[in-house]
Amino acid sequence: MGRRALVRGATAATVSFTLALGLGSLTVGSAHGGTVTGEVVVPAATAMVPRTGLLSAGPSGFLRYEEGLGQLWTTYDGVDTVVDASGTDVYGVTSAGAGSDVVARYDTSARTVTLRNMTSGQISTVALPDGHFYFSTLGSTVVTTAGTPGADSTWHLLDARADGSVSDRTVQGVPSGVHLQSAAGLGDAHGQVVQYRKGDDDVTGWLDIEQGRFTALPYTVRAWYYLVALSPTHLVWYEDGTLHVASRQDPAAAVRTVRVGEISQVLGVVGDNVVVSRYDSSLGQNDTYRAVSRVEAVPLDGSAPRTLLARTSRQAVPTPDGGLLVAGGADTDHWGVSLVEAVEGGGVTVRRIADAHPRQTAHTVSQLTLTQGRLNTVETDPVGDWSYLHTRETGVADSPTAGTRTTRGRIVLENYSGSGPHLLDTGDGRTVISGYGTSAAQQPQLLGADRSLPGTRIDSSRSYRTATAASGRFAALTRPYDSKGVAETRVVDLDSGRTVFTTTDSVRAIWGTTVWVMSGNDTVVPYDLLTGKQGEPVWFGHGCLLNDFQAVGRWLLWNCVLNSEGQGVYDTVTKRNLTLVSGSGWEQAQLGDGFVATVEAGQLKVIDVRGGTPVSHTAGEFEGNAWDVDPYTGVIAQLRSDNAIRLTSSDVPVSALVQRDATVAASVDVKGGAAPWSPKWWLNKPAASWKLVIGNKATGAAVRTLSGGLSRGVVTPAWNGKDGSGRLVPNGAHT
């Protein structure tokens, strides 16, 4: 893998006619040949994750849950009182003193309900009689069930008297032989929507705690929890794309229906509007616990819905005067509790009454690659629980930098059977992305340096199982196993789409124009992808079962298991095989340009293998998570447990600048300057600048000079056949 001239061979360009160019070497400005030094920590990306749970609301305030703070009582002017720092979120259960300023807490072990009036400060306790089971707390009335299910079960209403005693009222109107259903959060200080089952029939009714009576309703509510809501005036539920709205004042009145399509939750009724949440697929996974839905007011007259809040999560809570409390905001950085109220004319208004307390949470990094100073990460957004590909420019000179994160698009993990995509950087800014299966979504795609997902399918004429290697313009794509258990691998030119090499052996690595192919268990064979010529095989000894194999420039990292365990580096120039570990004591390792990064006693170890004797030093703690080595700059990336990424220099100088590959057309018709000559050179490391001088071969005079700044792995000039003054150059041979 020796040094090659940057430009070689005869090339031609034409200006609507043939113009032969004989090219000498490309003059390269200062190359980043010095060692990248130092260390930097790329901080984890974070998002504000709301966990606001609205539990109940009374005339003077409301009870809510905030993660990390417990249960808070908040007045309508935004003043918080911690009620229970260890309190939990009791979503969908009427247990907090519904519809009143009373906060109720049921102690399961003591079988007592503590009632705390947040306005007067009065505290009373209701002990559950023997044989009673807790059901809910409505205002200051504790509801229990007693009796034998299916025989004589009924509801009981327990009220604390001023003298500390407790009255027990049996709810009237409950038929015999019924099974009472559990509480579902649909209640206020006047009563509760309940259900029972008798035989095969489900009955929905109203438990009136003021009269102590159960009344069956003339309809059955089959939806429950997040698809049904109670207001002071109505009961509303959702079924099959339709909202059903029933009057509380006149239960016998006909149930109104409004077509609404697909929704996430029924939040409540305010005036002449049903307030719902509707899933927004751009925000994350469809989950009512996540802030991935918007709040809409749906008029009962069937007119167009109106968006009230851009984002919400969880259930809303009605206020005793007909309003509705909703947690949400424009985004999760501006989360709070808003009050939706009716206004004249049938509309509603929304006003924020309290701040919420979202928690700053790190994005979870599951994969990373570092190539030519470009850090690619697969990260999961903690708000929507969706994964995205991000890229940061970490620099190629001096010390690495954190860089600005660019989002490249969403990665649909379900397309990859939960294992995530396979990422292979080509070293010229592009990334090959594939899955580990034959579905259309898992087929190998090519993502350009400045492009967003999903990328472009590399070869749509065949089905592949995965991509196994990539470098520069070449990628190895492996097909499914045939009936004989044989899998064909094709190396494809990413620029032309042409297959340049085919084998049924395992492709282990590609570097530049060389592909390394397994031969048996203990040997790899190089092939030149431009000529197809086989190179000298490299044998790793009797009994070696080659486990890991990596190639960077002239270096090969090998790891044998079974009867010849060990790990080492082979130099293809000197033909020297350097064993680093004999036996089973080897650790995971990554190959860089002239060094190996590995682990020793919990420390990141860097082994310089450029000389005859390995020279080692430690480079800090080994984080034990996802990691990668940039073979072009010598920087090591490690994912930390807090989802930050530590970039550490190997402190091993990279090799001299050489060409890995080139595509230089031998002739071209520039069509009067409309079709430029576009050569391409791939380099083994970043170059600070480049310059291409085009001269007349006969006179030696320069006719055009092209130049550019930082080049990361590839130089791509374009010449339109014109000189510096904009005139087409004469036809003839050029250098």
Side-chain angles (χ1 to χ4, degrees), residues 80-140:
D80 288 334
T81 300
V82 176
V83 175
D84 184 357
S86 62
T88 59
D89 194 2
V90 284
Y91 177 62
V93 179
T94 306
S95 60
S100 72
D101 290 338
V102 172
V103 172
R105 181 180 180 183
Y106 174 54
D107 186 327
T108 56
S109 59
R111 290 178 45 82
T112 58
V113 180
T114 301
L115 305 174
R116 177 181 176 184
N117 190 305
M118 300 305 297
T119 302
S120 66
Q122 180 182 352
I123 297 176
S124 55
T125 301
V126 175
L128 269 60
D130 291 340
H132 284 230
F133 300 92
Y134 183 73
F135 191 78
S136 63
T137 303
L138 308 175
S140 57

Side-chain angles (χ1 to χ4, degrees), residues 106-183:
Y106 174 54
D107 186 327
T108 56
S109 59
R111 290 178 45 82
T112 58
V113 180
T114 301
L115 305 174
R116 177 181 176 184
N117 190 305
M118 300 305 297
T119 302
S120 66
Q122 180 182 352
I123 297 176
S124 55
T125 301
V126 175
L128 269 60
D130 291 340
H132 284 230
F133 300 92
Y134 183 73
F135 191 78
S136 63
T137 303
L138 308 175
S140 57
T141 297
V142 176
V143 184
T144 64
T145 61
T148 303
D152 59 353
S153 62
T154 189
W155 286 281
H156 288 252
L157 307 177
L158 307 180
D159 298 288
R161 296 190 178 101
D163 62 2
S165 62
V166 175
S167 68
D168 181 352
R169 295 180 288 152
T170 301
V171 174
Q172 303 301 307
V174 181
S176 62
V178 301
H179 291 264
L180 305 181
Q181 308 281 27
S182 60

Side-chain angles (χ1 to χ4, degrees), residues 440-574:
Q442 298 187 74
Q443 292 302 295
Q445 311 279 333
L446 181 64
L447 185 65
D450 57 350
R451 299 302 177 89
S452 295
L453 291 169
T456 303
R457 185 163 172 175
I458 295 173
D459 181 4
S460 58
S461 66
R462 298 172 180 84
S463 176
Y464 292 97
R465 180 166 47 90
T466 193
T468 54
S471 178
R473 59 175 161 140
F474 299 113
L477 313 180
T478 300
R479 302 200 65 198
Y481 292 103
D482 62 17
S483 59
K484 298 179 180 180
V486 176
E488 178 188 73
T489 296
R490 306 173 72 91
V491 178
V492 178
D493 186 322
L494 299 173
D495 291 340
S496 68
R498 185 172 58 93
T499 297
V500 297
F501 182 82
T502 303
T503 181
T504 55
D505 291 319
S506 175
V507 169
R508 300 303 300 265
I510 301 176
W511 183 266
T513 62
T514 301
V515 58
W516 293 91
V517 180
M518 285 292 296
S519 176
N521 293 329
D522 56 11
T523 303
V524 290
V525 181
Y527 291 88
D528 190 309
L529 293 172
L530 302 183
T531 65
K533 182 179 178 181
Q534 177 181 324
E536 182 180 347
V538 179
W539 178 61
F540 298 109
H542 290 294
C544 172
L545 176 60
L546 193 61
N547 176 49
D548 188 20
F549 178 85
Q550 301 170 37
V552 173
R554 62 193 282 183
W555 315 101
L556 307 179
L557 173 68
W558 56 267
N559 166 224
C560 293
V561 295
L562 216 64
N563 297 325
S564 181
E565 289 209 54
Q567 186 179 74
V569 173
Y570 181 82
D571 185 338
T572 60
V573 174
T574 65

Side-chain angles (χ1 to χ4, degrees), residues 648-662:
T648 307
S649 170
S650 65
D651 291 329
V652 177
V654 294
S655 301
L657 185 69
V658 295
Q659 170 188 310
R660 291 196 298 150
D661 187 16

Side-chain angles (χ1 to χ4, degrees), residues 299-321:
L300 292 176
D301 62 9
S303 56
R306 170 193 164 202
T307 298
L308 304 180
L309 290 171
R311 301 184 82 153
T312 191
S313 64
R314 308 303 306 279
Q315 211 165 14
V317 169
T319 62
D321 60 359

